[in-house]
Amino acid sequence: MSAGGSLKSIFYALAANAGIAIAKFIAAFMTGSGTMFAEGIHSASDCGNQLLLLWGMKKAKQPPSPDYPLGYGKEIYFWSFLVAIIIFSIGGMYSLYEGIHKLQHPPESFQDAWVAVIVLIFGIILEGGSLLGCLKQIKHLRGETPLLQWCRETRKSELIVILGEDLAAELGMMIALVFILLAQFTGNPMYDAIGSLLIIIAIFIAIKVKGLLVGQSVNPKIRAELVAALNSKESVKEILNVITLQLGEDVMIAVKARMDDANAVEVCKDINQIEAEIKTAFPQVKWIFFEPDIKK
């Protein structure tokens, strides 16, 4: 899937979160709900996060330059990591603070709880639509690969961020809905406070994107296919080493191989042909550094 699939997922999430944030803040003002206000902060920060991802994807498309000979593809990883920090701090830590504050100082009453319930149901429907849209785009990428395995192995940081945001928002609103209903039926507003405690998904996103920032290889399945394609070439007698590096949408490959030809001119022709065939079979491969060698 091209970057267009990621763009669709980001725009779905941006539209959903903008509507949800407005509705949540209105409900928080009407009800005095700490959970609802924390959820509004979360949805508003999600809108900012999606704008940052869009900016990161735009920056990542810049062509290579003398200072950045391999291009700017990893820009998207930086902005994805920044989004993870925002989710952790604004979405997670603020919710944690709000929850602890309400547990220590529970409000005397919880007004107009049904307004909050209606807004949360509305938000669950909108966020559910965004989540389904994201999962649909991911399905094109993962094929038959289980979703959890895809999440561990994928190099699409922007989709991981959107998936994490959508899951966190959907789960958070469902928990908030349950606790608001409990607060309404039991008369104990402390239930409203407990619904603010969510933070784990931001940590997962940060850990995942950190690996891509440091310099992660391509997906193991794609690497295996690349090695198999190289081994299938008649002029390649033996693959001595293959190094891959994921650079946003682009991939760099460094190959050391024992070649069949003894003539230097023929070796160069073989290498040029191999590089052209690899780039045709794997469009994401932008750079190939092929070093012929002899087995020692």
Side-chain angles (χ1 to χ4, degrees), residues 172-185:
M173 285 188 289
M174 288 180 177
I175 292 175
L177 178 61
V178 170
F179 286 130
I180 286 176
L181 289 173
L182 286 173
Q184 180 70 5
F185 287 118

Side-chain angles (χ1 to χ4, degrees), residues 91-151:
M93 294 304 293
Y94 181 84
S95 294
L96 184 64
Y97 162 78
E98 182 68 20
I100 293 174
H101 176 75
K102 283 296 183 71
L103 286 171
Q104 294 175 339
H105 308 284
E108 295 181 359
S109 63
F110 187 76
Q111 300 175 350
D112 300 322
W114 294 113
V115 175
V117 169
I118 292 171
V119 171
L120 281 173
I121 293 174
F122 170 74
I124 288 170
I125 293 172
L126 279 185
E127 199 69 57
S130 175
L131 178 59
L132 288 175
C134 182
L135 289 173
K136 181 180 179 181
Q137 301 302 325
I138 289 173
K139 177 63 177 176
H140 292 307
L141 277 179
R142 67 182 181 90
E144 299 302 319
T145 304
L147 180 59
L148 290 178
Q149 180 181 342
W150 180 87
C151 289

Side-chain angles (χ1 to χ4, degrees), residues 74 105 187 262 267 278:
K74 293 178 76 172
H105 308 284
V267 169
I278 290 295

